[in-house]
Amino acid sequence: MKNTVIAASLLSADFARLGEDCERAHASGCDWLHFDIMDGMFVPSISFGGPVLRSVAGVSKLPIDVHMMVTEPIRYIRRYAELGAAGITIHAEAAKDVRAAIAEIRSCGVRAGLALKPATPVSSIFELIPLVDMVLVMTVEPGFGGQEFMSETLPKIAEVRQIAESLGQPLDIEVDGGINGITAALVREAGANVLVSGSYLFAAQDMSAAVSSLR
Ligand code: DX5
Ligand code: ZN
């Protein structure tokens, strides 16, 4: 398995100083920037979209990991790929034709990810796992930063890792929500290798130390 990838969730950044916070994440040893797009339909809140992605891509030295919490994401995939996403993750619950949305991501030449809300079983995406580079196991209900980690999601991480191993697939398993210096060890132990963290990293006095505590 690959080394742990740390993705800083910009949802917890200071939007008035977004460029500085992107640089802070880079200087602190983060590997990716995680970019949460929320449409107010798939999740209750609205975050940011294309114009902000364009600005971040213009200054970021790190790959941008786009997490689409958007109903029928196929409508926006090409646009976000063109604006600079290195990878796009869609929710299995958000699309009528998940295969078509994954194919659209692939046709744009960016990494394809598939996300599961806490209540969605791994069995529902079993046949789709070979089609993606990454599965995102949500460790909170999507929609807001700063929530408490849901430990009942740990068996799902292990289940996805077991499926990937049985397929001989070098799958990335990402977790998102409530990741801090304590929960990071639990998700790594379960098989996750891409850790998204927002409030824990951006609230830290010493972000480099916080990043190290996740590895
Ligand atoms: C929540 C988002 C997360 C969020 C994580 O729906 O997908 O990326 O920013 O925030 P923390 O790390 O604060 O739980
Ligand atoms: Zn996210």
Side-chain angles (χ1 to χ4, degrees):
M1 196 163 70
K2 299 171 199 162
N3 292 332
T4 305
V5 171
I6 305 299
S9 174
L10 293 179
L11 197 60
S12 290
D14 179 347
F15 298 150
R17 296 187 168 80
L18 194 49
E20 287 164 45
D21 272 357
C22 291
E23 179 48 36
R24 189 173 157 224
H26 174 247
S28 302
C30 293
D31 303 291
W32 296 355
L33 295 178
H34 181 83
F35 194 90
D36 290 299
I37 301 179
M38 303 180 182
D39 67 352
M41 293 293 287
F42 181 69
V43 289
S45 40
I46 295 174
S47 57
F48 37 62
V52 181
L53 179 57
R54 184 200 309 272
S55 297
V56 168
V59 300
S60 177
K61 300 185 182 86
L62 298 174
I64 302 171
D65 173 41
V66 169
H67 176 195
M68 293 185 72
M69 285 161 274
V70 174
T71 300
E72 292 304 341
I74 197 163
R75 299 175 293 153
Y76 299 99
I77 287 167
R78 188 158 301 274
R79 173 163 160 72
Y80 294 151
E82 286 169 358
L83 288 174
I88 297 178
T89 297
I90 58 158
H91 269 267
E93 310 87 355
K96 280 203 194 78
D97 189 343
V98 181
R99 275 175 190 270
I102 293 170
E104 176 80 348
I105 301 173
R106 285 250 169 267
S107 76
C108 295
V110 299
R111 287 166 43 84
L114 186 58
L116 293 178
K117 291 164 83 169
T120 307
V122 174
S123 58
S124 70
I125 61 157
F126 182 77
E127 289 171 355
L128 301 172
I129 291 176
L131 307 179
V132 297
D133 301 296
M134 183 166 84
V135 169
L136 165 53
V137 177
M138 288 302 299
T139 43
V140 298
E141 208 54 59
F144 304 94
Q147 301 180 76
E148 194 177 332
F149 177 79
M150 296 168 64
S151 58
E152 58 266 41
T153 60
L154 287 168
K156 289 174 66 182
I157 300 167
E159 190 180 350
V160 176
R161 180 55 71 201
Q162 197 182 6
I163 292 168
E165 272 169 11
S166 71
L167 294 170
Q169 188 184 348
L171 183 77
D172 284 319
I173 301 180
E174 184 174 55
V175 288
D176 185 5
I179 301 300
N180 56 39
I182 294 163
T183 56
L186 305 177
V187 294
R188 282 192 281 103
E189 176 68 19
N193 70 308
V194 180
L195 276 53
V196 176
S197 183
S199 50
Y200 174 68
L201 290 183
F202 283 99
Q205 294 292 337
D206 182 345
M207 194 191 267
S208 299
V211 171
S212 299
S213 75
L214 299 179
R215 291 195 193 279

